[in-house]
Amino acid sequence: MPNVRTQVGIVGAGPAGLVLSHLLYLRGIDSVVLENRSRQYVEERVRAGVLEQGTVDLLAEMGVGERMKKEGLVHYGIELRFLGRGHPIDFRELTGGKGITIYAQAEVLKDLNDARIATGGQVFFEVEDVSVHDFNTVQPKISYRKDGHAYELACDFIAGCDGFHGTCRPSIPHGVLTEYERVYPFGWLGILAEAPPSSEELVYCYHDHGFALLSMRTPQIGRLYLQCKPDEDIAEWSDDRIWHELQVRLASTGWKLAEGPVLQKGVTGMRSFLVDPMQYGRLFLAGDSAHIVPPTGAKGLNLAVADVQVLARGFDKFYKTGDHTLLDRYSQICLRRIWKVQRFSWWMTSMLHRFPDGTPFDQRRQIAELDYVTSSRAAATSLAENYIGLPMEWD
Ligand code: FAD
Ligand code: DHB
């Protein structure tokens, strides 16, 4: 059964928890990951798909990039579509050769789980009643239940990688964290479809009926999204209705959207959220447990990976030298970049969605913004450098 002691106890086996656990392993630091869902559930959950160059490079350096390099689709641009016309944004040209890779979050998690298991990593799925204790002392603990038995894991540090609805953030005493939040008056209805992508590049589309996005997973499988009500009832959306709406919004002269059987569909609400600081005592929050971005711009998974890169370096420095200054500065280093990514995700969302209370002025302003971004090299460069991923500033 599970260890009773480890160096870093990690709650959650999403991208943040698993990347952290493997980075620590590579630095000779012991960790235990506790996840309340099954491995199958975590690996089948349909979520993000766009990896920044920095995320791709890190996964490759960690030795978990082999399948991603083989099966991932490298893209060097996106298309912005409005008033029925497409306008390319060429990342390669605007950023000196950089791009993004389409590779599903579920595949990233499969690769990470395989790597953790192959190297003797301790990842426990289907644990229950996880709770974190004593993190304002030097001997924090995590309690949990597994197969009906109660356990306690003693650690030096706890990493709260348990997502937006997890247990770690709410365990921090009231008044320590300042929360910043904006909830958007719309959501995304997303489908996975057995339909080859009708465009080489991802298409972000502004339309009178609302935003639409054409993305993909493989050369055979499309991933498409429609702006919808935040509480949209998916039962009211037959496959025919979804395809019809996608056809209307994405329509462009001389272009055809290929349809196919819908494999999966769901509705996601949209919010911007973060807490400052992202740490308290020996408890560190990383990924969605500390911040949420609206999905326009595909930053959620990439932010989670960026956080744990900083955290892993902080633990490494501490265990090698006893110096905790990097751990002390964890929130400060991460939040500087997170706020810029929040700004970008908010900006993309605001430019591309129809707001229920939007006036004709707002709509003309949105068109002007799209016209500007697609006709000014300076504006397009700003979009491109944010989309491919901003650098981490360590000072
Ligand atoms: P998570 O992936 O949420 O992982 C947290 C893990 O902790 C989960 O496995 C959870 O089961 C576990 N957990 C929670 N509570 C406990 C507990 N008490 N005890 C033990 N374990 C616990 N981002 C994009 O960029 N593009 C997208 O298209 C996109 N689509 C999304 C669709 C949905 C429906 C959702 C919810 C998110 C989407 N995101 C998307 C965001 C992106 O998937 C997240 O930002 C990313 O998963 C963050 O990783 P994480 O490891 O921080 O959190
Ligand atoms: C995908 C998701 C996003 O949020 C986005 O901006 C682009 C692509 C995707 O799931 O493929």
Side-chain angles (χ1 to χ4, degrees), residues 40-69:
Q40 187 183 358
Y41 179 90
V42 169
E43 291 184 356
E44 285 178 1
R45 200 160 34 185
V46 181
R47 283 190 165 184
V50 174
L51 307 182
E52 291 173 355
Q53 184 86 55
T55 305
V56 169
D57 293 345
L58 178 76
L59 294 171
E61 271 167 40
M62 290 167 66
V64 292
E66 209 175 305
R67 210 160 58 89
M68 171 187 71
K69 290 278 180 198

Side-chain angles (χ1 to χ4, degrees), residues 11-18 34-37 41-42 45-50 105 109 127-131 160-168 188 213 217 223 225 267-268 286-305:
V11 186
L18 290 175
L34 300 171
E35 163 64 49
N36 61 5
R37 302 287 194 157
Y41 179 90
V42 169
R45 200 160 34 185
V46 181
R47 283 190 165 184
V50 174
Q105 177 165 335
L109 293 178
V127 301
E128 292 171 288
D129 300 337
V130 175
S131 56
C161 301
D162 50 347
F164 184 65
H165 299 288
T167 186
C168 291
W188 278 13
L213 169 62
R217 286 294 174 268
R223 176 86 171 133
Y225 298 94
V267 170
T268 316
D288 278 15
S289 77
H291 42 73
I292 295 284
V293 288
T296 335
K299 292 297 174 197
L301 181 155
N302 295 293
L303 271 180
V305 171

Side-chain angles (χ1 to χ4, degrees), residues 237-310:
W237 287 81
S238 66
D239 296 358
D240 280 352
R241 183 175 172 206
I242 294 172
W243 281 118
H244 175 74
E245 195 55 32
L246 284 166
Q247 294 285 6
V248 169
R249 294 190 196 181
L250 287 164
S252 173
T253 333
W255 182 84
K256 185 116 188 61
L257 174 65
E259 299 184 10
V262 174
L263 305 172
Q264 190 270 352
K265 53 183 164 183
V267 170
T268 316
M270 289 174 60
R271 71 175 76 224
S272 304
F273 173 86
L274 64 77
V275 291
D276 181 357
M278 295 162 55
Q279 65 201 86
Y280 177 66
R282 289 192 163 214
L283 172 60
F284 295 84
L285 304 176
D288 278 15
S289 77
H291 42 73
I292 295 284
V293 288
T296 335
K299 292 297 174 197
L301 181 155
N302 295 293
L303 271 180
V305 171
D307 287 353
V308 297
Q309 242 179 309
V310 179

Side-chain angles (χ1 to χ4, degrees), residues 121 137 273 352:
T137 74
F273 173 86
L352 285 160

